[in-house]
Amino acid sequence: MKKEYETITEISGPLVFAEVDEPVGYDEIVEIDTGDGDVRRGQVLESTSDYVAIQVFEGTTGIDRNSSVRFLGETMKMKLTEDLLGRVLSGSGDPIDGGPEIEPDERRDIVGKAINPYSREYPEEFIQTGVSGIDGMNTLVRGQKLPIFSASGLPHNDLALQIARQASVPEEEEGDDDEGSEFAVIFGAMGITQEEANEFMDDFERTGALERSVVFMNLADDPAVERTLTPRLALTTAEYLAFDKGYHVLVILTDMTNYCEALREIGAAREEVPGRRGYPGYMYTDLAQLYERAGRIEGREGSVTQIPILTMPGDDDTHPIPDLTGYITEGQIYIDRDLNSQGIEPPINVLPSLSRLMDDGIGEGLTRVDHADVKDQIFAAYAEGEDLRDLVNIVGREALSDLDNKYLDFADRFETEFVDQGIDTDRSIDETLELGWDLLSMLPKDALNRIDEELIEEHYREDETQEVTAD
């Protein structure tokens, strides 16, 4: 039953306070009629027997004490249908692509339900992004949540688009899966500029990626409160496609920093006691409610994999947003400012990056039997080269041994040939690993102490070593 009041007492930022004569449900959806035909939607944030606090999705401009408040008796729901694929929606779930209205098969609460831990399947199937710095060194697996840690001015959006274009499940491309589960991408953009939105849409349309995608767009000039809805709408859509329709869904959320700023703005308007750096004390719980919606469910074909992207304020990975995200998720991919200044695309720094579920998603029957050994040896050789770069600045290359000089050359070639692949190059896992062997063959065999001898005999390029030694 709808209840209507004309009892607004206060307007504070994105919040409207109204008196009520009976309790109203938490998270209940509200319509506010401004009196001139404009109807705004909102959601109950706080409810007592005497008053409610409502966050207004479309902003409070034009709302006054004469506006009427109508409680709809239900929570925010997403209209769900398989026909959402190929559509572009606003941050609050309304079509903005000029297409027809959504005819839903069902409507589902956007808060979602936690996956029963007993019913979770452990993530262990490889997702190929086509990016060597991820596939080879910090592999993404189905059902994982693997954030990208970036910073202002770095090309994280280019990497997000590249992954959205190229991501696939290799064994299904080869027809190993009799069920034929399909791959879909849910792209949720929060607080982006109109220019960025245009770039996203041009790329989706140019490459045909839009056909298998659902795009949610919240722009920088849209109300900040709407940003709290966008990831929940995106994840509700992902869960429907994955667990009801059998899709393997990759959810890309950018930028989570804008989402957290919206939480801080709402908390300030409610005069809450702030936590670290002014962010709400419940931000950890709030982020966990989003990130933990990734996973696989036993007996269901589909999966939900998340790549949240966040920009670290001041390049500081101890800032509350990356700090809390790192606690909740299963690793991180670092975008590096120094590599970006050298023109490396994408500028992924593999050393501080991590995929905690990688070991279970690679190897024989998943990627290749040599994947783990090649990855370990590349990490060791690149780390050695990085350490030697610091030493060279003090003593010069002439003071180093021949092997040390090869490690330095390895680090240079690793960045310019392995990590640097451009934003339009899609590498298979075989191409990535073969490139890794090309680089490792710069080093003498006895330096490859992390690789099984049988694998060295099978893959080591003897000729390349002789060329390097001759120099």
Side-chain angles (χ1 to χ4, degrees):
M1 179 180 174
K2 296 181 180 180
K3 296 166 284 187
E4 188 164 344
Y5 298 85
E6 291 185 2
T7 54
I8 292 177
T9 58
E10 182 184 350
I11 300 168
S12 174
L15 302 184
V16 169
F17 295 86
E19 293 178 346
V20 292
D21 56 10
E22 60 181 284
V24 176
Y26 180 71
D27 272 353
E28 188 169 321
I29 293 301
V30 178
E31 289 181 349
I32 300 177
D33 191 336
T34 61
D36 57 4
D38 186 18
V39 177
R40 313 276 178 85
R41 287 190 305 167
Q43 189 174 29
V44 175
L45 269 189
E46 187 176 343
S47 179
T48 71
S49 58
D50 300 321
Y51 76 94
V52 293
I54 303 162
Q55 62 175 2
V56 184
F57 300 142
E58 292 93 356
T60 55
T61 304
I63 298 176
D64 57 29
R65 293 175 184 269
N66 297 320
S67 301
S68 62
V69 179
R70 188 161 51 251
F71 298 95
L72 303 187
E74 63 176 14
T75 55
M76 184 74 174
K77 289 181 167 55
M78 177 67 194
K79 298 176 181 178
L80 296 171
T81 169
E82 208 168 346
D83 294 335
L84 282 170
L85 290 168
R87 298 301 302 272
V88 183
L89 310 176
S90 71
S92 54
D94 299 317
I96 55 173
D97 55 3
E101 284 296 313
I102 299 168
E103 295 294 335
D105 293 334
E106 67 172 285
R107 297 167 74 247
R108 192 172 292 177
D109 196 311
I110 66 168
V111 175
K113 297 177 181 177
I115 299 175
N116 186 333
Y118 183 79
S119 301
R120 278 187 183 269
E121 273 192 15
Y122 192 80
E124 55 185 7
E125 291 94 2
F126 169 61
I127 288 180
Q128 181 170 289
T129 66
V131 179
S132 294
I134 297 176
D135 293 347
M137 307 302 293
N138 297 282
T139 307
L140 177 69
V141 300
R142 273 185 259 169
Q144 186 177 7
K145 39 195 180 290
L146 186 64
I148 294 175
F149 285 8
S150 185
S152 179
L154 296 182
H156 46 271
N157 287 336
D158 291 337
L159 179 58
L161 285 171
Q162 186 171 9
I163 293 171
R165 283 195 307 270
Q166 298 175 177
S168 61
V169 183
E171 56 264 38
E172 290 174 5
E173 290 178 356
E174 297 164 10
D176 292 345
D177 190 343
D178 295 334
E179 297 295 326
S181 295
E182 298 182 71
F183 199 86
V185 175
I186 308 294
F187 195 91
M190 294 163 280
I192 63 171
T193 65
Q194 185 64 58
E195 181 182 4
E196 289 172 324
N198 292 339
E199 289 175 3
F200 283 140
M201 292 316 306
D202 289 345
D203 191 273
F204 273 110
E205 291 167 0
R206 175 178 60 83
T207 60
L210 185 59
E211 294 178 8
R212 63 168 189 172
S213 305
V214 186
V215 180
F216 293 84
M217 286 282 187
N218 169 270
L219 302 181
D221 59 351
D222 288 333
V225 173
E226 189 179 84
R227 275 162 225 156
T228 63
L229 292 181
T230 304
R232 290 175 169 81
L233 293 166
L235 288 165
T236 303
T237 305
E239 289 167 346
Y240 172 77
L241 291 174
F243 305 134
D244 290 61
K245 299 299 180 181
Y247 284 79
H248 293 300
V249 184
L250 177 63
V251 182
I252 300 174
L253 300 172
T254 182
D255 178 344
M256 292 304 295
T257 300
N258 293 332
Y259 172 84
C260 293
E261 293 292 347
L263 288 183
R264 181 160 69 170
E265 181 178 327
I266 294 168
R270 295 177 65 182
E271 299 181 356
E272 296 171 338
V273 177
R276 271 200 298 165
R277 303 203 191 181
Y279 291 93
Y282 52 79
M283 189 165 75
Y284 179 90
T285 305
D286 196 284
L287 289 173
Q289 287 176 340
L290 299 179
Y291 296 147
E292 292 296 346
R293 292 174 75 171
R296 303 201 65 181
I297 297 178
E298 194 173 317
R300 305 284 182 95
E301 283 298 319
S303 61
V304 175
T305 306
Q306 277 191 47
I307 299 184
I309 300 173
L310 57 90
T311 51
M312 299 180 290
D315 294 15
D316 179 13
D317 58 9
T318 66
H319 186 278
I321 300 171
D323 190 34
L324 297 179
T325 295
Y327 278 120
I328 301 164
T329 54
E330 293 128 3
Q332 66 278 328
I333 304 295
Y334 272 89
I335 305 295
D336 187 82
R337 196 173 292 281
D338 290 337
L339 291 177
N340 185 58
S341 66
Q342 297 170 35
I344 305 294
E345 290 183 333
I348 295 173
N349 187 349
V350 301
L351 291 179
S353 298
L354 171 69
S355 173
R356 294 190 178 97
L357 303 184
M358 175 177 183
D359 290 344
D360 298 300
I362 63 174
E364 190 172 8
L366 295 166
T367 54
R368 259 177 35 177
V369 67
D370 59 330
H371 190 163
D373 286 0
V374 169
K375 178 261 299 182
D376 289 344
Q377 191 66 63
I378 289 176
F379 265 123
Y382 183 50
E384 182 71 20
E386 277 283 278
D387 289 341
L388 288 167
R389 283 173 172 171
D390 295 333
L391 185 60
V392 164
N393 292 332
I394 302 171
V395 302
R397 289 196 69 149
E398 297 78 10
L400 301 182
S401 67
D402 289 342
L403 181 58
D404 286 345
N405 277 296
K406 287 177 182 178
Y407 277 123
L408 281 172
D409 293 335
F410 177 91
D412 292 338
R413 284 189 60 189
F414 175 75
E415 291 172 357
T416 57
E417 296 179 27
F418 190 95
V419 178
D420 184 15
Q421 66 180 74
I423 60 174
D424 294 316
T425 302
D426 185 358
R427 287 183 186 156
S428 69
I429 188 61
D430 283 323
E431 291 172 328
T432 291
L433 294 176
E434 289 305 315
L435 182 54
W437 277 109
D438 287 344
L439 297 177
L440 290 173
S441 296
M442 296 173 61
L443 305 173
K445 280 187 179 181
D446 57 8
L448 305 183
N449 52 15
R450 296 172 183 267
I451 303 181
D452 187 273
E453 290 184 6
E454 292 182 4
L455 294 174
I456 294 176
E457 292 302 320
E458 181 180 349
H459 294 282
Y460 190 74
R461 277 78 153 147
E462 196 73 48
D463 291 341
E464 293 193 17
T465 300
Q466 292 170 0
E467 290 175 14
V468 173
T469 305
D471 292 340

mmCIF file of all heavy atoms in Angstrom, residues 349-379:
data_model
loop_
_atom_site.group_PDB
_atom_site.id
_atom_site.type_symbol
_atom_site.label_atom_id
_atom_site.label_comp_id
_atom_site.label_asym_id
_atom_site.label_seq_id
_atom_site.Cartn_x
_atom_site.Cartn_y
_atom_site.Cartn_z
ATOM 1 N N ASN A 349 52.826 -3.311 -13.522
ATOM 2 C CA ASN A 349 54.007 -3.688 -12.746
ATOM 3 C C ASN A 349 53.715 -5.033 -12.096
ATOM 4 O O ASN A 349 52.918 -5.121 -11.154
ATOM 5 C CB ASN A 349 54.316 -2.628 -11.691
ATOM 6 C CG ASN A 349 55.634 -2.896 -10.978
ATOM 7 O OD1 ASN A 349 56.232 -3.960 -11.110
ATOM 8 N ND2 ASN A 349 56.090 -1.913 -10.205
ATOM 9 N N VAL A 350 54.365 -6.087 -12.588
ATOM 10 C CA VAL A 350 54.005 -7.438 -12.147
ATOM 11 C C VAL A 350 54.556 -7.758 -10.753
ATOM 12 O O VAL A 350 54.035 -8.658 -10.083
ATOM 13 C CB VAL A 350 54.501 -8.504 -13.147
ATOM 14 C CG1 VAL A 350 53.904 -8.262 -14.514
ATOM 15 C CG2 VAL A 350 56.016 -8.568 -13.211
ATOM 16 N N LEU A 351 55.588 -7.054 -10.302
ATOM 17 C CA LEU A 351 56.219 -7.429 -9.029
ATOM 18 C C LEU A 351 55.310 -7.206 -7.819
ATOM 19 O O LEU A 351 55.162 -8.106 -6.986
ATOM 20 C CB LEU A 351 57.552 -6.688 -8.864
ATOM 21 C CG LEU A 351 58.665 -7.135 -9.824
ATOM 22 C CD1 LEU A 351 59.926 -6.332 -9.592
ATOM 23 C CD2 LEU A 351 58.961 -8.625 -9.657
ATOM 24 N N PRO A 352 54.681 -6.025 -7.653
ATOM 25 C CA PRO A 352 53.764 -5.882 -6.517
ATOM 26 C C PRO A 352 52.375 -6.453 -6.797
ATOM 27 O O PRO A 352 51.545 -6.535 -5.896
ATOM 28 C CB PRO A 352 53.695 -4.366 -6.313
ATOM 29 C CG PRO A 352 53.905 -3.798 -7.678
ATOM 30 C CD PRO A 352 54.871 -4.737 -8.358
ATOM 31 N N SER A 353 52.125 -6.845 -8.052
ATOM 32 C CA SER A 353 50.822 -7.416 -8.398
ATOM 33 C C SER A 353 50.742 -8.853 -7.883
ATOM 34 O O SER A 353 51.755 -9.507 -7.644
ATOM 35 C CB SER A 353 50.611 -7.399 -9.918
ATOM 36 O OG SER A 353 50.612 -6.079 -10.425
ATOM 37 N N LEU A 354 49.523 -9.334 -7.736
ATOM 38 C CA LEU A 354 49.321 -10.657 -7.141
ATOM 39 C C LEU A 354 47.954 -11.193 -7.510
ATOM 40 O O LEU A 354 46.965 -10.457 -7.523
ATOM 41 C CB LEU A 354 49.431 -10.535 -5.602
ATOM 42 C CG LEU A 354 49.037 -11.748 -4.766
ATOM 43 C CD1 LEU A 354 50.052 -12.877 -4.954
ATOM 44 C CD2 LEU A 354 48.930 -11.381 -3.289
ATOM 45 N N SER A 355 47.910 -12.479 -7.838
ATOM 46 C CA SER A 355 46.641 -13.186 -7.970
ATOM 47 C C SER A 355 46.701 -14.393 -7.039
ATOM 48 O O SER A 355 47.408 -15.366 -7.318
ATOM 49 C CB SER A 355 46.400 -13.633 -9.419
ATOM 50 O OG SER A 355 45.257 -14.459 -9.497
ATOM 51 N N ARG A 356 45.979 -14.321 -5.927
ATOM 52 C CA ARG A 356 46.093 -15.358 -4.900
ATOM 53 C C ARG A 356 45.523 -16.709 -5.359
ATOM 54 O O ARG A 356 45.841 -17.744 -4.771
ATOM 55 C CB ARG A 356 45.375 -14.917 -3.616
ATOM 56 C CG ARG A 356 46.027 -13.729 -2.933
ATOM 57 C CD ARG A 356 45.442 -13.470 -1.551
ATOM 58 N NE ARG A 356 46.126 -12.356 -0.891
ATOM 59 C CZ ARG A 356 45.689 -11.117 -0.889
ATOM 60 N NH1 ARG A 356 44.551 -10.818 -1.508
ATOM 61 N NH2 ARG A 356 46.365 -10.166 -0.281
ATOM 62 N N LEU A 357 44.671 -16.699 -6.363
ATOM 63 C CA LEU A 357 44.060 -17.943 -6.836
ATOM 64 C C LEU A 357 44.742 -18.473 -8.085
ATOM 65 O O LEU A 357 44.292 -19.463 -8.665
ATOM 66 C CB LEU A 357 42.567 -17.721 -7.114
ATOM 67 C CG LEU A 357 41.727 -17.207 -5.940
ATOM 68 C CD1 LEU A 357 40.262 -17.124 -6.338
ATOM 69 C CD2 LEU A 357 41.886 -18.111 -4.723
ATOM 70 N N MET A 358 45.839 -17.834 -8.498
ATOM 71 C CA MET A 358 46.481 -18.201 -9.763
ATOM 72 C C MET A 358 46.912 -19.661 -9.795
ATOM 73 O O MET A 358 46.683 -20.361 -10.789
ATOM 74 C CB MET A 358 47.682 -17.292 -10.012
ATOM 75 C CG MET A 358 48.485 -17.679 -11.245
ATOM 76 S SD MET A 358 49.836 -16.528 -11.559
ATOM 77 C CE MET A 358 50.512 -17.199 -13.071
ATOM 78 N N ASP A 359 47.543 -20.133 -8.723
ATOM 79 C CA ASP A 359 48.112 -21.480 -8.740
ATOM 80 C C ASP A 359 47.063 -22.548 -8.992
ATOM 81 O O ASP A 359 47.386 -23.625 -9.520
ATOM 82 C CB ASP A 359 48.832 -21.771 -7.412
ATOM 83 C CG ASP A 359 50.101 -20.946 -7.265
ATOM 84 O OD1 ASP A 359 50.565 -20.397 -8.290
ATOM 85 O OD2 ASP A 359 50.622 -20.830 -6.138
ATOM 86 N N ASP A 360 45.816 -22.286 -8.614
ATOM 87 C CA ASP A 360 44.758 -23.274 -8.821
ATOM 88 C C ASP A 360 44.117 -23.175 -10.197
ATOM 89 O O ASP A 360 43.320 -24.033 -10.577
ATOM 90 C CB ASP A 360 43.676 -23.111 -7.745
ATOM 91 C CG ASP A 360 44.219 -23.345 -6.353
ATOM 92 O OD1 ASP A 360 44.713 -24.453 -6.094
ATOM 93 O OD2 ASP A 360 44.167 -22.416 -5.534
ATOM 94 N N GLY A 361 44.450 -22.100 -10.957
ATOM 95 C CA GLY A 361 43.819 -21.890 -12.258
ATOM 96 C C GLY A 361 44.744 -22.091 -13.433
ATOM 97 O O GLY A 361 44.374 -21.816 -14.572
ATOM 98 N N ILE A 362 45.982 -22.565 -13.158
ATOM 99 C CA ILE A 362 46.936 -22.768 -14.255
ATOM 100 C C ILE A 362 47.490 -24.186 -14.181
ATOM 101 O O ILE A 362 47.280 -24.906 -13.212
ATOM 102 C CB ILE A 362 48.101 -21.756 -14.191
ATOM 103 C CG1 ILE A 362 48.926 -21.936 -12.907
ATOM 104 C CG2 ILE A 362 47.577 -20.331 -14.301
ATOM 105 C CD1 ILE A 362 50.170 -21.074 -12.843
ATOM 106 N N GLY A 363 48.202 -24.575 -15.231
ATOM 107 C CA GLY A 363 48.816 -25.896 -15.253
ATOM 108 C C GLY A 363 48.174 -26.793 -16.290
ATOM 109 O O GLY A 363 47.370 -26.364 -17.128
ATOM 110 N N GLU A 364 48.519 -28.055 -16.235
ATOM 111 C CA GLU A 364 48.042 -29.020 -17.224
ATOM 112 C C GLU A 364 46.518 -29.132 -17.189
ATOM 113 O O GLU A 364 45.913 -29.226 -16.135
ATOM 114 C CB GLU A 364 48.674 -30.383 -16.934
ATOM 115 C CG GLU A 364 48.439 -31.403 -18.029
ATOM 116 C CD GLU A 364 49.237 -32.671 -17.817
ATOM 117 O OE1 GLU A 364 49.857 -32.816 -16.730
ATOM 118 O OE2 GLU A 364 49.242 -33.521 -18.714
ATOM 119 N N GLY A 365 45.912 -29.072 -18.363
ATOM 120 C CA GLY A 365 44.462 -29.141 -18.470
ATOM 121 C C GLY A 365 43.763 -27.814 -18.282
ATOM 122 O O GLY A 365 42.563 -27.705 -18.520
ATOM 123 N N LEU A 366 44.504 -26.785 -17.831
ATOM 124 C CA LEU A 366 43.924 -25.458 -17.627
ATOM 125 C C LEU A 366 44.592 -24.438 -18.543
ATOM 126 O O LEU A 366 43.930 -23.805 -19.360
ATOM 127 C CB LEU A 366 44.055 -25.040 -16.156
ATOM 128 C CG LEU A 366 43.274 -25.897 -15.162
ATOM 129 C CD1 LEU A 366 43.723 -25.624 -13.739
ATOM 130 C CD2 LEU A 366 41.776 -25.628 -15.295
ATOM 131 N N THR A 367 45.899 -24.282 -18.401
ATOM 132 C CA THR A 367 46.656 -23.449 -19.351
ATOM 133 C C THR A 367 47.697 -24.341 -20.023
ATOM 134 O O THR A 367 47.413 -24.968 -21.023
ATOM 135 C CB THR A 367 47.322 -22.251 -18.630
ATOM 136 O OG1 THR A 367 48.113 -22.721 -17.534
ATOM 137 C CG2 THR A 367 46.279 -21.285 -18.117
ATOM 138 N N ARG A 368 48.906 -24.430 -19.412
ATOM 139 C CA ARG A 368 49.934 -25.338 -19.921
ATOM 140 C C ARG A 368 50.742 -25.859 -18.750
ATOM 141 O O ARG A 368 50.861 -25.209 -17.717
ATOM 142 C CB ARG A 368 50.852 -24.605 -20.917
ATOM 143 C CG ARG A 368 50.538 -24.896 -22.344
ATOM 144 C CD ARG A 368 51.364 -24.161 -23.342
ATOM 145 N NE ARG A 368 52.758 -23.895 -23.031
ATOM 146 C CZ ARG A 368 53.594 -23.296 -23.883
ATOM 147 N NH1 ARG A 368 53.139 -22.933 -25.084
ATOM 148 N NH2 ARG A 368 54.839 -23.062 -23.545
ATOM 149 N N VAL A 369 51.338 -27.032 -18.920
ATOM 150 C CA VAL A 369 52.042 -27.674 -17.827
ATOM 151 C C VAL A 369 53.247 -26.862 -17.359
ATOM 152 O O VAL A 369 53.654 -26.935 -16.193
ATOM 153 C CB VAL A 369 52.476 -29.101 -18.248
ATOM 154 C CG1 VAL A 369 53.543 -29.052 -19.341
ATOM 155 C CG2 VAL A 369 52.959 -29.899 -17.045
ATOM 156 N N ASP A 370 53.820 -26.034 -18.261
ATOM 157 C CA ASP A 370 55.011 -25.258 -17.910
ATOM 158 C C ASP A 370 54.693 -23.877 -17.342
ATOM 159 O O ASP A 370 55.611 -23.123 -17.011
ATOM 160 C CB ASP A 370 55.921 -25.105 -19.135
ATOM 161 C CG ASP A 370 55.214 -24.410 -20.292
ATOM 162 O OD1 ASP A 370 53.974 -24.551 -20.398
ATOM 163 O OD2 ASP A 370 55.884 -23.728 -21.086
ATOM 164 N N HIS A 371 53.415 -23.526 -17.217
ATOM 165 C CA HIS A 371 53.030 -22.158 -16.865
ATOM 166 C C HIS A 371 53.594 -21.734 -15.499
ATOM 167 O O HIS A 371 54.217 -20.670 -15.372
ATOM 168 C CB HIS A 371 51.502 -22.038 -16.866
ATOM 169 C CG HIS A 371 51.003 -20.630 -16.756
ATOM 170 N ND1 HIS A 371 49.710 -20.266 -17.082
ATOM 171 C CD2 HIS A 371 51.610 -19.490 -16.352
ATOM 172 C CE1 HIS A 371 49.563 -18.958 -16.890
ATOM 173 N NE2 HIS A 371 50.698 -18.472 -16.434
ATOM 174 N N ALA A 372 53.409 -22.559 -14.487
ATOM 175 C CA ALA A 372 53.832 -22.161 -13.138
ATOM 176 C C ALA A 372 55.338 -21.968 -13.068
ATOM 177 O O ALA A 372 55.832 -20.991 -12.482
ATOM 178 C CB ALA A 372 53.367 -23.201 -12.118
ATOM 179 N N ASP A 373 56.102 -22.895 -13.670
ATOM 180 C CA ASP A 373 57.561 -22.785 -13.617
ATOM 181 C C ASP A 373 58.054 -21.559 -14.371
ATOM 182 O O ASP A 373 58.958 -20.846 -13.904
ATOM 183 C CB ASP A 373 58.202 -24.045 -14.210
ATOM 184 C CG ASP A 373 58.095 -25.250 -13.273
ATOM 185 O OD1 ASP A 373 57.528 -25.089 -12.181
ATOM 186 O OD2 ASP A 373 58.570 -26.337 -13.640
ATOM 187 N N VAL A 374 57.481 -21.311 -15.550
ATOM 188 C CA VAL A 374 57.883 -20.137 -16.340
ATOM 189 C C VAL A 374 57.577 -18.854 -15.570
ATOM 190 O O VAL A 374 58.411 -17.935 -15.491
ATOM 191 C CB VAL A 374 57.166 -20.132 -17.708
ATOM 192 C CG1 VAL A 374 57.368 -18.797 -18.423
ATOM 193 C CG2 VAL A 374 57.676 -21.265 -18.578
ATOM 194 N N LYS A 375 56.417 -18.792 -14.967
ATOM 195 C CA LYS A 375 56.037 -17.596 -14.189
ATOM 196 C C LYS A 375 57.002 -17.362 -13.033
ATOM 197 O O LYS A 375 57.486 -16.248 -12.820
ATOM 198 C CB LYS A 375 54.603 -17.768 -13.686
ATOM 199 C CG LYS A 375 54.080 -16.639 -12.818
ATOM 200 C CD LYS A 375 54.153 -16.945 -11.322
ATOM 201 C CE LYS A 375 53.324 -18.139 -10.944
ATOM 202 N NZ LYS A 375 53.366 -18.388 -9.456
ATOM 203 N N ASP A 376 57.315 -18.424 -12.285
ATOM 204 C CA ASP A 376 58.222 -18.290 -11.137
ATOM 205 C C ASP A 376 59.604 -17.820 -11.577
ATOM 206 O O ASP A 376 60.224 -16.967 -10.931
ATOM 207 C CB ASP A 376 58.334 -19.627 -10.396
ATOM 208 C CG ASP A 376 57.059 -19.991 -9.648
ATOM 209 O OD1 ASP A 376 56.217 -19.090 -9.447
ATOM 210 O OD2 ASP A 376 56.908 -21.164 -9.269
ATOM 211 N N GLN A 377 60.111 -18.390 -12.697
ATOM 212 C CA GLN A 377 61.446 -18.022 -13.149
ATOM 213 C C GLN A 377 61.491 -16.587 -13.668
ATOM 214 O O GLN A 377 62.453 -15.857 -13.422
ATOM 215 C CB GLN A 377 61.909 -18.987 -14.245
ATOM 216 C CG GLN A 377 63.380 -18.844 -14.599
ATOM 217 C CD GLN A 377 64.276 -19.238 -13.437
ATOM 218 O OE1 GLN A 377 64.273 -20.383 -13.000
ATOM 219 N NE2 GLN A 377 65.043 -18.287 -12.914
ATOM 220 N N ILE A 378 60.421 -16.166 -14.359
ATOM 221 C CA ILE A 378 60.375 -14.787 -14.847
ATOM 222 C C ILE A 378 60.327 -13.809 -13.680
ATOM 223 O O ILE A 378 61.023 -12.788 -13.675
ATOM 224 C CB ILE A 378 59.161 -14.581 -15.780
ATOM 225 C CG1 ILE A 378 59.377 -15.310 -17.103
ATOM 226 C CG2 ILE A 378 58.934 -13.091 -16.050
ATOM 227 C CD1 ILE A 378 58.197 -15.238 -18.057
ATOM 228 N N PHE A 379 59.518 -14.113 -12.680
ATOM 229 C CA PHE A 379 59.459 -13.252 -11.496
ATOM 230 C C PHE A 379 60.843 -13.107 -10.867
ATOM 231 O O PHE A 379 61.291 -12.003 -10.540
ATOM 232 C CB PHE A 379 58.499 -13.835 -10.448
ATOM 233 C CG PHE A 379 57.107 -13.261 -10.518
ATOM 234 C CD1 PHE A 379 56.006 -14.075 -10.697
ATOM 235 C CD2 PHE A 379 56.900 -11.898 -10.376
ATOM 236 C CE1 PHE A 379 54.716 -13.551 -10.748
ATOM 237 C CE2 PHE A 379 55.623 -11.360 -10.422
ATOM 238 C CZ PHE A 379 54.529 -12.189 -10.618
#
